[in-house]
Amino acid sequence: MTDRVVLVTGAGSGIGAVIAAQAAALGDRVVVTDVDAAAATRISAQLPRSVAMTLDVTSGEQVRAVVARIAREVGPVQVLVNNAGVASDVPFGRLPEELWHRDIAVSLDGAYHTISAVLPGMIAAGGGAIVNVASVNGLTYLGNEAYSAAKAGLISLTKSIAVRYGDRGIRCNAVAPGTIATPIWQQRMEADPMVMQRAARWYPLGRVGRPEDVAAAVLFLAGDGASWITGVTLPVDGGLLAGRLAMADEIVSSAESFEPGPQDEDR
Ligand SMILES: NC(=O)c1ccc[n+]([C@@H]2O[C@H](COP(=O)([O-])OP(=O)(O)OC[C@H]3O[C@@H](n4cnc5c(N)ncnc54)[C@H](O)[C@@H]3O)[C@@H](O)[C@H]2O)c1
């Protein structure tokens, strides 16, 4: 039993809901928050010792009020999981300004608000753990420019907090998931029912991810087993960022078609 106070943002759906469930299964008191109040209530109702609170992470005022309420009603936040995120699916040249700002407001400004709000309590308690749900998009170009910029910013913020607050016992890490089948993909899955199967071909492990894959990594980084790990971004991506076999094969096979040079003749 871990019995920590765990705040998860965007926990009414997908990855956040599974993070909340896995934390609750460990014995934590989980505060299930989401901008969608009904979704937060529905998820929380399935979990022991959990409470639901409505929270739009883009509002600093709301975040501060919810963190204060958690401290009063549950206890000071010991683990913060910044999971809320939205992804605009419009190519850069046609991306409206408001969608650029929206993606950054949820993933990056949201984490700024929550981290700022929980830090004083964590410092007073002598420590705490923060895990940010970033994305492979924050580490390499895969489209979704606004979303990617937000996640790259979140990875930078992860390192800043880790370094600045390490001596207060606060650890801050991130996970960078690859494609995970969740409602965030709904629009694309409606437009192309095969999108997950096509995405799977790019993954060395031959499948897209499950929310459970990400939640397990988040809870590892939040837990004592990771007590000497801070400032890292752990890809949870089925090997996507490790490299491209198709590219390697293409280059090797074209090299093989060359006439051997003098240095190759002894091989
Ligand atoms: N699914 C993927 O392929 C994938 C890949 C990499 C990273 N991620 C990241 O994982 C996280 C969870 O995504 P998911 O796939 O579970 O998506 P999801 O759409 O199922 O869940 C996201 C949740 O965030 C909530 N949310 C949206 N705006 C919010 C706001 N302003 N304040 C609070 N909550 C808000 C939504 O209501 C929803 O419940 C996101 O940060 C996402 O960027 C997802």
Side-chain angles (χ1 to χ4, degrees):
M1 291 285 277
T2 40
D3 192 25
R4 302 162 297 191
V5 177
V6 177
L7 164 58
V8 187
T9 68
S13 172
I15 294 167
V18 178
I19 293 169
Q22 288 192 3
L26 290 173
D28 292 327
R29 285 165 286 157
V30 183
V31 186
V32 175
T33 69
D34 203 289
V35 68
D36 180 341
T41 303
R42 185 169 43 80
I43 297 300
S44 168
Q46 300 162 18
L47 306 178
R49 308 179 77 212
S50 133
V51 290
M53 294 188 193
T54 310
L55 177 60
D56 178 349
V57 295
T58 66
S59 160
E61 202 182 329
Q62 254 189 56
V63 169
R64 287 186 290 277
V66 164
V67 168
R69 187 180 153 201
I70 295 169
R72 281 195 312 273
E73 296 179 11
V74 191
V77 173
Q78 292 161 294
V79 175
L80 165 66
V81 182
N82 282 310
N83 167 78
V86 288
S88 299
D89 217 0
V90 185
F92 188 72
R94 290 193 274 116
L95 186 70
E97 193 178 326
E98 61 268 24
L99 288 187
W100 171 269
H101 290 302
R102 187 197 64 160
D103 283 11
I104 290 177
V106 179
S107 282
L108 183 54
D109 298 350
Y112 160 73
H113 293 314
T114 55
I115 291 171
S116 304
V118 303
L119 271 174
M122 287 185 175
I123 291 168
I130 299 168
V131 184
N132 297 321
V133 180
S135 168
V136 288
N137 285 61
L139 294 166
T140 193
Y141 180 72
L142 292 161
N144 299 88
E145 286 81 0
Y147 175 77
S148 303
K151 295 300 191 182
L154 185 57
I155 289 167
S156 172
L157 182 63
T158 300
K159 290 186 266 198
S160 303
I161 299 298
V163 173
R164 186 168 286 281
Y165 293 98
D167 69 351
R168 312 295 183 94
I170 294 164
R171 295 184 304 104
C172 184
N173 292 293
V175 291
T179 307
I180 314 291
T182 71
I184 212 171
W185 282 84
Q186 198 170 336
Q187 226 182 324
R188 280 197 218 170
M189 286 196 278
E190 279 164 13
D192 174 6
M194 294 299 287
V195 67
M196 285 294 153
Q197 284 87 334
R198 289 194 295 106
R201 293 194 320 232
W202 291 92
Y203 285 85
L205 289 180
R207 65 167 175 88
V208 298
R210 295 182 279 259
E212 289 75 8
D213 298 320
V214 181
V218 167
L219 286 162
F220 165 67
L221 289 171
D224 287 346
S227 63
W228 210 49
I229 299 176
T230 197
V232 306
T233 295
L234 177 64
V236 184
D237 70 345
L240 181 72
L241 296 179
R244 305 273 180 282
L245 185 61
M247 182 183 177
D249 282 350
E250 194 171 296
I251 289 165
V252 170
S253 59
S254 61
E256 278 169 355
S257 69
F258 291 151
E259 289 295 316
Q263 70 276 31
D264 292 320
E265 274 169 5
D266 297 338
R267 287 189 185 169

